[in-house]
Amino acid sequence: MMTLAIHDQRLAKPGTQNAAWRDYDSVRRAIAFISANWRAQPTIEAMADAAGVTPDELHHLFRRWASITPKAFMQALTLDHARNLLRDSASILDAALDSGLSGPGRLHDLFVTHEAMSPGEWKNGGAGLTLRYGFHPSPFGTAIVIATDRGLSGLAFADHGEEKIALADMTRRWPNATYVEDHKGTAPLAARIFDPKLWRPDQPLRVVLIGTDFEVRVWETLLKIPMGRAVSYSDIACNINNPKASRAVGAAVGKNPVSFVVPCHRALGKSGTLTGYHWGTTRKQAMLGWEAGQLGMQ
């Protein structure tokens, strides 16, 4: 039987969580405006008005949020930028294989190691598993961090007021597991995920993948995509030696339970289009723009 313990009172408390909500809400509104108007190259004044802040506030917000200017972020949302991310995408995956960078011990830009749970553990819907979870501020709204004793097993996102909905969406994936709220225990994982200063090869983030064999193979391929690049669904299908499975690959990408860390946001349509994302296309755009900032896009 699944058990949940959610404390709404704690979520309502003021503090860093609410500050993060306010920041991402402004960013989200700016993204929506830029996405609809980037061809016209809107001014920072127009962006700020859409976000409900002053131009100076918007400038400082983006600098604080992603080390990037609003203008540079607008460039990161253009179709040309998406096409550049896809450049030589197939060879990126080939190079990862040729360099021996595949397998459980592979490190990527987040310095992640991973393992897959057995098919039996997945088939039983998580029976016998205890999954600890916590709500934490992140650059992309509230993050729901879910972990087993073996490592991070789930990462989801929610807008303000929708935390319980996002948590329920995650728990349906493993309905027979036991869920225990553990904000203190999952806080170090949240910090490790979203603070680039903590991305260290000597302290890799361990991820446990819980899914079908096919899904795990797709998720492992996503882990090969470096920050600042992207691949198409057909590239992923070819990488797992099933070139006709682009549609099935898309479904598996959509079921990725460890968002951002297993970077399903770096999977794009062949033309560079930002196809659907389980946690919203706006959030996918935010992640790509945030990563552009981490890479020093000017």
Side-chain angles (χ1 to χ4, degrees):
M1 178 180 294
M2 179 179 70
T3 61
L4 293 175
I6 302 175
H7 302 297
D8 293 329
Q9 293 85 355
R10 180 185 58 74
L11 289 175
K13 290 181 180 179
T16 57
Q17 184 86 322
N18 284 350
W21 279 330
R22 289 191 296 271
D23 276 3
Y24 181 67
D25 185 58
S26 295
V27 168
R28 178 179 57 80
R29 283 181 282 166
I31 291 171
F33 176 78
I34 295 170
S35 299
N37 298 281
W38 63 267
R39 288 179 179 82
Q41 295 293 291
T43 64
I44 189 172
E45 288 79 11
M47 293 184 231
D49 184 62
V53 296
T54 69
D56 280 348
E57 288 171 336
L58 185 68
H59 182 83
H60 291 304
L61 169 63
F62 271 86
R63 279 294 191 184
R64 181 175 69 251
W65 177 71
S67 302
I68 195 171
T69 66
K71 181 179 179 180
F73 187 80
M74 180 168 62
Q75 293 172 347
L77 291 188
T78 67
L79 185 61
D80 285 343
H81 179 73
R83 286 171 175 161
N84 286 335
L85 295 181
L86 281 170
R87 189 180 61 251
D88 302 323
S89 59
S91 62
I92 291 172
L93 299 178
D94 292 339
L97 289 172
D98 293 342
S99 302
L101 295 179
S102 59
R106 197 192 69 80
L107 299 178
H108 74 143
D109 49 90
L110 279 176
F111 298 114
V112 171
T113 63
H114 72 278
E115 63 175 295
M117 285 195 166
S118 71
E121 289 173 304
W122 170 82
K123 187 176 181 180
N124 290 332
L129 279 177
T130 296
L131 297 178
R132 298 174 290 109
Y133 69 91
F135 299 92
H136 303 277
S138 87
F140 316 110
T142 299
I144 298 94
V145 177
I146 302 175
T148 71
D149 291 337
R150 291 155 63 179
L152 178 72
S153 57
L155 179 61
F157 296 95
D159 293 327
H160 182 34
E162 298 181 353
E163 294 82 7
K164 288 199 292 184
I165 296 173
L167 177 60
D169 176 80
M170 293 298 288
T171 59
R172 282 194 292 269
R173 298 165 186 255
W174 313 296
N176 298 323
T178 297
Y179 292 83
V180 178
E181 184 173 21
D182 184 6
H183 180 268
K184 183 177 180 180
T186 53
L189 282 174
R192 170 67 181 74
I193 292 165
F194 299 113
D195 185 352
K197 293 190 294 293
L198 300 179
W199 296 357
R200 298 174 51 183
D202 59 332
Q203 295 180 4
L205 175 66
R206 179 164 291 280
V207 175
V208 179
L209 302 177
I210 309 175
T212 67
D213 178 66
F214 180 83
E215 289 169 347
V216 168
R217 288 165 61 202
V218 170
W219 301 338
E220 288 176 335
T221 303
L222 293 173
L223 279 168
K224 300 171 188 172
I225 309 171
M227 180 182 285
R229 300 305 294 269
V231 301
S232 69
Y233 298 105
S234 58
D235 289 328
I236 297 173
C238 290
N239 182 261
I240 61 174
N241 298 316
N242 200 340
K244 297 182 179 180
S246 294
R247 187 180 298 273
V249 164
V253 169
K255 292 180 181 178
N256 169 32
V258 192
S259 301
F260 184 68
V261 173
V262 177
C264 49
H265 59 282
R266 297 178 196 159
L268 305 177
K270 265 193 171 182
S271 66
T273 52
L274 295 179
T275 49
Y277 185 63
H278 190 75
W279 305 110
T281 304
T282 296
R283 191 166 273 110
K284 183 173 186 173
Q285 292 172 313
M287 290 177 179
L288 292 172
W290 187 87
E291 290 184 341
Q294 302 308 308
L295 292 172
M297 177 181 180
Q298 301 297 327

